Amino acid sequence: MAIQDKIDGYSFWEMIQAGAACLEEHSESINALNVFPVPDGDTGINMTLTLRAALNSEIQVSSNVGEVAQAVSRASMLGARGNSGVILSQFFKGFAIGLENIEQCTAADLLLALKTASEAGYEAVGNPVEGTILTVMRAAAAGADKGDQSISAVLNLALESAETALEYTPSQLPVLAEAGVVDAGGQGFVALLAGFTSYIDGTAPVLKVGSPAEINSHHIFTQSDLGHTEDELFGFCTQFLILGSELRLSEIKEAVSSVADSTVVIGDDQVVRIHAHASDPGPLLSLGLSYGNLDQINIMNMDLQHQEFISKNYKPLLNHSDQAIVAVVPSLQFDILFRDQGAALTVLGGQSMNPSAEEILNGIKDANSDHVLILPNNPNVKLSAIQASEMAECACTVVPTESVPHGIAALLAYNSNLEPAYNANAMQESAEGIVTGEVTVAARDAKVGGIKVEEGQIIGMLEGSLVSCNDSVPEVLIDLISKTNVDAGDLITLYYGADLKEDKATAHAELVRSKFDGVDVEIYEGGQPYYHYLVAIE
Amino acid sequence: MSVRVITDSASDIPPSVAKELGIIVVPLTVMFGDEELLDGIDISSDQFFEKLQTSEFHPRTSQPSVAQFSKAYEEAGKNEIISIHVSEKLSGTLNSASLAAKEAPGKVELFDTRGASSWVATVAIAAAKSANEGKSLKQVTEVAQTVSDNLEAYFLLDTLEYLQKGGRIGKAQALLGGLLNIKPILHVAEGEVHPYEKVRTRAKGLAKLIETAKKNAPFKEISIMHGSAGEDAEVLSKSLAELSETPVSVRSVGPVIGVHTGPGVIGIVLRKA
């Protein structure tokens, strides 16, 4: 591609593709930048899926750059997953505002678009925090502005400034400094810009990875793609690692897409992670074996899974109501529990599988109500919930619950006879009246809040902060609870996850009862993946 | 000729208060299996709740007979009567009263308070005070109407167990069959019982009752009703004292409500200022 002085709609589209490709290529190292070693909605995956949703949507690409930018904005807003994905989609929204009514984008237009894009990113977040993707976006927009220049110069300056800002994120956010990483979202944005720049310059993208922590996070691949399979054949969701040497990523990528759909192939020359949907997983595994050893093989029959979800969760037509609750939940068990306590319907998602704004938006539509109250039940779902609520046709209020137990506490305060605004307040108050704990497996080695964690150890989190680490689930559970001000008369509710059997959970509950005098302990099957326990202390 | 106030034992009016104000209380009957006990005469509130938890039978309550009412109306002699009762949605008491009223020697004004327990007592006490001041039946009835129109009640159940055993309290039915162990707060207004909020611990429920009262304060009077929860009632009474123009009264819940709520029930009846 020759050096350009203007970007038309077709070039813009290709530039986005180049940015997405660069982002996708590095999504694994971006995932590894997560501060907390918990199985979480990974930043790299979320940003990649957000962009891919835009690229896979049926956009009429034309020569008019303003129109294409508008279409990309809309599609990425629907596809946004996780907070980083939402901010990215807002970036494109702002970009489209900057390019409104422009047929061919000049360097000056691009400068303006970068500026409006960064501003839109800030607007998407209630309390913008510096040291995040927002800071990196703003630095890119500000640093690119050096008077008369070419498009290439604008992008190269933006990239340089973004890289510098990224390096400084740990000095702005102490948690990053302690974990020894730069901000993951910021890194994703730098990757995107690197892709843009390389496309305009006609060179191969060079990505400076800002001193990441060890990239050995062989944790289980996230389920975030499930939502993408809606219109596709289901078959078997097949995930595994290929371990080898001198693995050629592009070759494997091509081979995998010839035998499967919805493929995500990421990694390096020694470890390649495959996630693909195939009607028969056999050939896919054989293919993997021809390159190296296989590890962490996980095959799920999505036809069965889908049918199960449809049969248990699907509510074809809800009667019209003046208000209703839509909650994001991590399992069928919580779907039942939430609907039992008054939620109109649920959207499957949560930790390690952040739903897209569109999935939440569909939930809002299906709720068939004048006013929908949304419980995201996860800090990383909050922004997509807000994004969905802004795109919805009915009135919506997001009650920003940060965990499933908080969501249940909020739900209990709901009274359909009272005004939505009153309910939203009461629900928020009620949510704040409990403390949430989580017990899970460390997804990688880490040191957070002075606690050293090895991959595979059991860790305990209180309100999202790491407080306990040990090799035993019950010990972490007890330790976690002892770190709250639990008192006689308090209630501890344990929701046990998919990896625990009821008899074990019952024994653990008995142990908790014996350790904490006068405290009530109740157990329920939560069925959530990855998390042994979600705990509510009140 | 003056006005006499008659009520039923579902008002849970303390006998000393009834006696002082000249209110005649017609008892309902509580039945544990074949054993029939007159509410407030053969069995006290505390005894009832103890028996509720220990008896092999789940108790039923039965409205007073027409004869019991006829006797009460005769006892009132030549006076005009206002007969103030538990909501007809909760008990057939008003039916018996109405049949007896037709045969009564004097004029009987039937009054449905659309509430129960301390709610009924609040209306009956206000009516009796105005009757004792020599007001006419019409005036006393107006007082009863004004008071009952300005009442609102909230109560916290300690468990859903007794609702589940076949209790019927309006729309609280909707709470049954839930997967989660909850303690509901119910709201009584305009003759209907609605689920108001659900909490998971008693401490939160009590705090919610106080918070709700504070939000709607001030009040002319507040009464607290409880089933075997005297300590909590005292705490609540102290917390609410400043919201009420008159001293807060604490009353025990009898069998008529208790059979649906179980022990540990605690509620507040608020009379708007």
Side-chain angles (χ1 to χ4, degrees):
Chain A
M1 172 65 52
I3 291 177
Q4 309 191 352
D5 58 355
K6 279 186 180 171
I7 304 173
D8 68 2
Y10 297 109
S11 303
F12 182 76
W13 182 246
E14 283 173 16
M15 182 177 88
I16 302 281
Q17 284 179 322
C22 186
L23 183 60
E24 183 161 355
E25 199 185 324
H26 295 93
S27 67
E28 184 64 357
S29 48
I30 296 167
N31 290 343
L33 298 174
N34 275 350
V35 170
F36 292 110
V38 295
D40 206 346
D42 292 318
T43 306
I45 298 282
N46 278 335
M47 292 178 81
T48 299
L49 289 175
T50 300
L51 262 183
R52 191 187 280 178
L55 293 173
N56 289 349
S57 65
E58 291 178 5
I59 289 177
Q60 279 289 344
V61 182
S62 70
S63 64
N64 186 311
V65 71
E67 283 172 18
V68 177
Q70 181 61 42
V72 168
S73 149
R74 171 84 193 166
S76 67
M77 280 170 71
L78 280 171
R81 277 170 207 269
N83 293 342
S84 52
V86 170
I87 294 172
L88 186 63
S89 72
Q90 289 292 324
F91 175 85
F92 282 113
K93 183 184 165 193
F95 212 90
I97 291 170
L99 295 182
E100 207 176 355
N101 299 323
I102 287 172
E103 282 188 27
Q104 296 214 316
C105 165
T106 63
D109 296 332
L110 181 61
L111 269 178
L112 176 70
L114 282 171
K115 200 156 169 285
T116 50
S118 136
E119 284 164 4
Y122 271 86
E123 277 164 25
V125 184
N127 298 304
V129 175
E130 296 300 342
T132 64
I133 183 172
L134 295 173
T135 313
V136 179
M137 281 177 175
R138 189 175 55 194
D145 195 356
K146 292 272 164 69
D148 272 357
Q149 53 196 332
S150 67
I151 283 182
S152 163
V154 168
L155 280 176
N156 277 294
L157 280 169
L159 177 59
E160 259 171 51
S161 313
E163 284 167 351
T164 309
L166 178 65
E167 277 170 30
Y168 280 104
T169 53
S171 62
Q172 289 170 302
L173 262 187
V175 285
L176 296 176
E178 195 193 355
V181 296
V182 294
D183 179 67
Q187 178 72 74
F189 181 70
V190 166
L192 183 72
L193 272 186
F196 287 178
T197 311
S198 70
Y199 169 75
I200 294 296
D201 289 349
T203 56
V206 181
L207 183 67
K208 262 204 208 162
V209 176
S211 56
E214 298 163 61
I215 303 175
N216 65 348
S217 55
H218 294 176
H219 57 277
I220 317 151
F221 197 84
T222 67
Q223 306 290 307
S224 16
D225 288 65
L226 280 183
H228 264 245
T229 60
E230 274 165 26
D231 305 322
E232 297 166 9
L233 274 172
F234 287 100
F236 293 87
C237 173
T238 311
Q239 303 171 28
F240 56 91
L241 295 180
I242 304 174
L243 309 175
S245 55
E246 295 174 35
L247 296 173
R248 273 192 297 247
L249 200 61
S250 54
E251 188 186 321
I252 297 175
K253 208 180 258 182
E254 204 169 299
V256 166
S257 9
S258 70
V259 294
D261 293 320
S262 289
T263 59
V264 178
V265 177
I266 50 183
D268 51 33
D269 59 347
Q270 308 203 344
V271 182
V272 172
R273 177 167 293 171
I274 310 284
H275 169 263
H277 299 166
S279 53
D280 176 0
L284 195 57
L285 293 174
S286 307
L287 184 100
L289 264 177
S290 70
Y291 287 100
N293 247 327
L294 303 190
D295 194 13
Q296 297 185 13
I297 301 172
N298 183 350
I299 301 172
M300 213 157 32
N301 186 333
M302 289 186 298
D303 293 331
L304 288 181
Q305 199 188 28
H306 187 72
Q307 274 160 18
E308 193 195 11
F309 192 73
I310 295 283
S311 65
K312 293 191 181 164
N313 175 281
Y314 188 58
K315 289 255 126 188
L317 272 179
L318 286 172
N319 286 332
H320 185 265
S321 59
D322 37 347
Q323 61 180 326
I325 293 176
V326 171
V328 179
V329 297
S331 66
L332 279 171
Q333 285 83 347
F334 277 115
D335 163 60
I336 293 164
L337 204 61
F338 269 76
R339 285 192 290 119
D340 176 60
Q341 292 300 327
L345 59 86
T346 66
V347 175
L348 197 63
Q351 293 281 37
S352 79
M353 42 177 179
N354 303 144
S356 69
E358 187 173 25
E359 283 163 8
I360 300 175
L361 185 60
N362 288 339
I364 294 171
K365 283 181 195 155
D366 291 344
N368 189 16
S369 186
D370 293 336
H371 197 128
V372 173
L373 297 157
I374 307 162
L375 299 173
N377 297 339
N378 186 309
N380 207 26
V381 177
K382 187 175 119 187
L383 285 188
S384 12
I386 292 172
Q387 181 131 308
S389 74
E390 282 164 0
M391 296 167 93
E393 280 167 16
C394 64
C396 291
T397 308
V398 176
V399 181
T401 47
E402 302 226 318
S403 70
V404 174
H406 279 306
I408 289 173
L411 195 53
L412 294 181
Y414 174 69
N415 182 337
S416 60
N417 294 324
L418 301 174
E419 290 298 309
Y422 181 93
N423 274 324
N425 269 333
M427 290 166 80
Q428 177 67 34
E429 258 177 44
S430 178
E432 285 164 6
I434 72 155
V435 173
T436 294
E438 293 156 320
V439 177
T440 185
V441 180
R444 61 173 172 84
D445 293 356
K447 195 178 164 214
V448 188
I451 298 176
K452 218 174 150 255
V453 176
E454 279 172 34
E455 182 182 339
Q457 279 194 304
I458 306 298
I459 52 175
M461 318 271 292
L462 266 184
E463 295 301 348
S465 296
L466 184 72
V467 297
S468 181
C469 174
N470 192 310
D471 292 320
S472 134
V473 171
E475 280 179 35
V476 168
L477 181 64
I478 299 283
D479 190 35
L480 177 85
I481 296 168
S482 68
K483 293 209 156 64
T484 64
N485 299 323
V486 70
D487 230 333
D490 287 354
L491 171 68
I492 296 175
T493 312
L494 304 174
Y495 301 95
Y496 61 95
D499 298 335
L500 275 181
K501 292 264 184 298
E502 189 182 355
D503 53 344
K504 269 228 165 120
T506 309
H508 293 164
E510 203 42 60
L511 194 64
V512 173
R513 263 181 218 116
S514 70
K515 292 276 179 188
F516 302 98
D517 261 358
V519 164
D520 282 332
V521 180
E522 292 180 8
I523 54 168
Y524 298 94
E525 184 185 2
Q528 68 277 4
Y530 308 122
Y531 285 71
H532 296 93
Y533 283 107
L534 297 176
V535 187
I537 301 146
E538 54 196 303
Chain B
M1 192 170 65
S2 64
V3 177
R4 276 305 284 273
V5 173
I6 290 180
T7 185
D8 58 72
S9 69
S11 67
D12 295 328
I13 191 167
S16 58
V17 177
K19 198 175 165 207
E20 186 196 327
L21 294 172
I23 300 172
I24 300 170
V25 182
V26 180
L28 281 79
T29 303
V30 196
M31 286 167 292
F32 285 91
D34 290 337
E35 190 186 6
E36 293 191 9
L37 301 161
L38 283 177
D39 177 20
I41 295 168
D42 299 332
I43 187 168
S44 72
S45 169
D46 283 344
Q47 287 165 337
F48 167 74
F49 283 109
E50 202 191 320
K51 212 169 160 67
L52 181 64
Q53 293 168 88
T54 53
S55 169
E56 57 173 312
F57 299 105
H58 187 66
R60 288 175 299 129
T61 57
S62 134
Q63 66 206 58
S65 64
V66 180
Q68 278 173 287
F69 273 112
S70 296
K71 193 171 151 252
Y73 294 156
E74 273 160 29
E75 194 186 326
K78 292 212 167 83
N79 295 314
E80 287 183 323
I81 293 169
I82 177 164
S83 200
I84 297 175
H85 298 292
V86 57
S87 167
E88 65 176 349
K89 286 184 181 157
L90 284 168
S91 162
T93 299
L94 259 165
N95 278 333
S96 298
S98 146
L99 289 173
K102 286 178 186 151
E103 312 295 324
K107 181 166 172 48
V108 179
E109 181 74 39
L110 294 169
F111 192 89
D112 183 352
T113 58
R114 310 217 289 170
S117 191
S118 215
W119 177 297
V120 183
T122 303
V123 178
I125 289 166
K129 282 180 178 165
S130 111
N132 294 345
E133 284 166 10
K135 300 275 166 56
S136 70
L137 180 60
K138 187 166 173 281
Q139 287 168 316
V140 173
T141 307
E142 276 168 9
V143 167
Q145 193 62 54
T146 312
V147 172
S148 87
D149 284 348
N150 281 291
L151 290 181
E152 211 177 348
Y154 297 87
F155 53 105
L156 168 71
L157 303 192
D158 205 39
T159 166
L160 284 173
E161 185 188 336
Y162 294 89
L163 271 185
Q164 239 132 13
K165 280 185 179 159
R168 279 185 300 114
I169 301 188
K171 291 177 179 160
Q173 248 1 51
L175 296 166
L176 296 186
L179 298 169
L180 210 58
N181 189 4
I182 54 148
K183 301 180 193 298
I185 296 174
L186 304 173
H187 178 210
V188 190
E190 291 163 5
E192 293 278 359
V193 181
H194 297 276
Y196 178 69
E197 189 164 334
K198 296 175 274 187
V199 292
R200 302 262 290 137
T201 66
R202 187 165 176 87
K204 273 192 191 166
L206 294 171
K208 196 77 207 174
L209 288 178
I210 294 170
E211 186 197 317
T212 306
K214 283 191 172 155
K215 239 181 243 174
N216 297 298
F219 301 103
K220 211 174 193 77
E221 64 180 299
I222 295 177
S223 60
I224 292 165
M225 48 186 180
H226 71 92
S228 287
E231 279 180 30
D232 285 344
E234 281 310 317
V235 173
L236 213 52
S237 152
K238 287 199 180 93
S239 315
L240 299 180
E242 58 176 14
L243 308 180
S244 174
E245 287 171 13
T246 52
V248 175
S249 30
V250 174
R251 296 170 191 148
S252 298
V253 168
V256 180
I257 290 300
V259 70
H260 300 292
T261 64
V265 60
I266 186 160
I268 50 178
V269 178
L270 309 167
R271 180 178 164 194
K272 284 185 211 99

